[in-house]
Amino acid sequence: MTTALAQDIDTGVGLVERRYATWTAPLQLDSGATLAPVTLAYETYGTLNAARDNAILITHALSGDAHAAGQHTLHDRKPGWWDNMIGPEKPFDTNRYFIICSNVIGGCQGSTGPASTHPVTNRPYGARFPVITIADMVRAQTRLLDYLGIQQLYAVAGGSMGGFQALEWATAHPERVRGAIIIASSARSTPQTIAWNSIGRHAIMQDPRWQEGDYYATEPPVDGLAIARMVGHVTYLSEISFEAKFGRDYQWEDSPKYTLKPEFAVESYLEYQGETFNTRFDANSFLYITKAMDYWDLSARYGSLEAAFSGSRASFLLLSFTSDWLYPTSESRLIVDALRHVDRPVQHSDITSHAGHDAFLVDVAPQRPIIRKFLEGIASA
Amino acid sequence: MTTALAQDIDTGVGLVERRYATWTAPLQLDSGATLAPVTLAYETYGTLNAARDNAILITHALSGDAHAAGQHTLHDRKPGWWDNMIGPEKPFDTNRYFIICSNVIGGCQGSTGPASTHPVTNRPYGARFPVITIADMVRAQTRLLDYLGIQQLYAVAGGSMGGFQALEWATAHPERVRGAIIIASSARSTPQTIAWNSIGRHAIMQDPRWQEGDYYATEPPVDGLAIARMVGHVTYLSEISFEAKFGRDYQWEDSPKYTLKPEFAVESYLEYQGETFNTRFDANSFLYITKAMDYWDLSARYGSLEAAFSGSRASFLLLSFTSDWLYPTSESRLIVDALRHVDRPVQHSDITSHAGHDAFLVDVAPQRPIIRKFLEGIASA
């Protein structure tokens, strides 16, 4: 990371580099399979202190990546996906903390995933990539912490599927986490979430171009992935944000054109989201990551949520959003209730927002002071 | 209808026949195009009285048809879709009322639609079928009433898109409607509903088998229509009904199989719904009917909902369901408020239910007494 340039551009974090760490030792997966080699793409912002106790791991959502803050080049049109939360004087204050963001295994942004080359066949894994879980993703991240020489995280923080990983860290690796920030997330995938994910997978796998996952030398299943993304986008918004963003507006004219083609603004938006997702995401990664999400059920694994949290040593902060119907407040409350039941320190803020699940990324103003204060409190906890 | 047999089978209505009425005169459509000939498939239950003033028109939802009650043969596995509401002593009491249910134009259950033969080319319309609106559907139904010699309906009743038609009847043909029952419906398609519909259309039209709508001699776009239906089914349920019906149960085993294939019960359910829908529904009809739904906006057409209702002479009953997030209670309230504002008689019941939008069809017990009483009241209104 080029800290010298950080002050020169207005993201605060400045220019950053994507880094990679690779391990040849097989990673044991929940399925019984192993994965080797394992590469994680990651980025860091700020400086690890001498005591090596100021590290915060940021875990990303389904379509996220390791690029959480700053810019890769001065010409980037957008900074990292959580740039408004990470940087000097921001809640994840790079003057105080050493921030790490790691791409998940199964992904397509530099970490080992279905598009990676199978070490034996020398061809892309495709659907021969092993099915992974949230626990597997976190298991890979523990290697990254070892590699960076970090025994214990000051905190781990993530929204949506990032929250799954943060919960996994705090429960499966309790000695390595002092604070856990879980935003717009859940201790399980609800049946409705599984339903949405499964429709996306169905759309990809029925696309003739999917070819059982072996499309890396041909045209990828762009139509299937577009549909999966369109479904996702509707679930990320709320009824109110749909009204505010699009209403019943037509995209081009003021009145119906009486055509089967898209003509409402909301249709154009979804088509655009579906198309552009194909430029940055791999359909097979969508299959693997959503499957990992669907398996996610902390309570089933430990017998109960209370049992899951009983060994945890972290302080917890949960943020939920009133209009988020994909990861509703009730899911956060289940976590809060279980933590209180086993006397773990926990704070919960249910933030009033119209932005639906997207609130996690777009309604940052109310989150900032809560996260800042929670992080400060960890030091004295 | 073979009334003699009606007492012998337990649906109450007994054996019924699908009937057809065809008009050669061109039907003027909202788009400016015309449609000819026009056939409507319909069924009737009960007897039209001498005064011809006891007729109730039942209007159906997106995937419904004219078969609302009774059985076509003694071997039918299921009676008509609203059999639990229509029959002797039931709310739509066939001892008192003459019940008509008409399939919509654009449909695929016997009425003129995209699968019908174009009179000039002698080939199926396909995507050359004119784009239609809810008003067009109702315009065709006015011909059916004329044909049956019914000047004025005792009532018109429908749920979901059936409610759109009932509202259209009461506003565009006010002199022909004494009572209107609007269930789990809305005076417009919300942007979120448009979004869901447009994803379904997108899935169908990107299916290579769609072939611009000309698939009647080849394999139809079964994958696209299945996806459209899967999306629909998720929107018809509620978070609570998902939990109750499926939870996080696996379909075959007790634990993950670590496969990309469907393995949760909810996934199997959706795949099954998608597949079976193809046995009874035409993908082009899905395109045309959802487009008609998306255009539906009573307020835009009249300038305001109050203006839309100011000429109406009907009494209104609105039923909504607390867990219906597709046609939420707030949409019914907009109608109720507008009707009260122009001093039209209106009752509204927001029924507590966990069944989501499906409540309209599955939670009939609380609806029965309300509808029965409302219908009785029309006589004295």
Side-chain angles (χ1 to χ4, degrees), chain A residues 83-260:
Chain A
D83 189 87
N84 49 23
M85 292 288 276
I86 301 167
E89 313 286 324
K90 295 179 189 174
F92 296 101
D93 187 344
T94 47
N95 292 337
R96 303 175 62 162
Y97 308 116
F98 177 62
I99 312 291
I100 310 157
C101 183
S102 160
N103 185 220
V104 294
I105 57 166
C108 50
Q109 311 277 5
S111 298
T112 305
S116 302
T117 302
H118 189 293
V120 176
T121 64
N122 258 324
R123 290 169 48 210
Y125 278 100
R128 289 168 298 275
F129 193 76
V131 168
I132 53 167
T133 65
I134 300 295
D136 294 332
M137 294 174 180
V138 167
R139 220 167 265 139
Q141 289 164 1
T142 63
R143 290 185 170 186
L144 180 61
L145 286 215
D146 294 345
Y147 168 76
L148 295 172
I150 296 160
Q151 187 53 40
Q152 190 183 50
L153 289 167
Y154 188 77
V156 55
S160 199
M161 188 186 80
F164 295 1
Q165 295 164 73
L167 286 166
E168 175 69 17
W169 266 104
T171 51
H173 309 280
E175 73 289 354
R176 300 190 78 160
V177 182
R178 295 179 68 186
I181 301 175
I182 322 292
I183 309 175
S185 193
S186 175
R188 57 169 195 155
S189 280
T190 64
Q192 197 192 57
T193 309
I194 296 173
W196 295 126
N197 285 342
S198 79
I199 291 174
R201 287 195 297 273
H202 181 94
I204 289 167
M205 294 168 83
Q206 63 79 34
D207 188 323
R209 285 165 291 204
W210 183 59
Q211 298 183 86
E212 303 295 319
D214 281 327
Y215 54 76
Y216 292 107
T218 55
E219 198 187 355
V222 291
D223 288 330
L225 184 59
I227 291 169
R229 186 60 170 174
M230 291 165 85
V231 169
H233 263 280
V234 186
T235 67
Y236 303 154
L237 300 181
S238 71
E239 186 70 36
I240 294 173
S241 60
F242 266 107
E243 295 285 356
K245 268 175 188 277
F246 313 107
R248 289 185 42 88
D249 293 350
Y250 291 93
Q251 179 72 11
W252 298 282
E253 310 199 2
D254 290 340
S255 55
K257 286 194 285 185
Y258 299 106
T259 165
L260 296 179

Side-chain angles (χ1 to χ4, degrees), chain A residues 177-181 312-317 344-346 374 377-378 381:
Chain A
V177 182
R178 295 179 68 186
I181 301 175
S312 167
R313 304 185 198 166
S315 305
F316 287 82
L317 171 64
R344 299 293 97 191
V346 56
F374 174 79
I378 292 171

Side-chain angles (χ1 to χ4, degrees), chain A residues 188 243 263 291 295, chain B residues 188 243 261 263 291 295:
Chain A
R188 57 169 195 155
E243 295 285 356
E263 53 185 316
K291 197 77 195 204
Y295 287 134
Chain B
R188 58 170 194 152
E243 296 285 354
K261 299 215 177 95
E263 53 185 316
K291 197 76 196 206
Y295 287 135

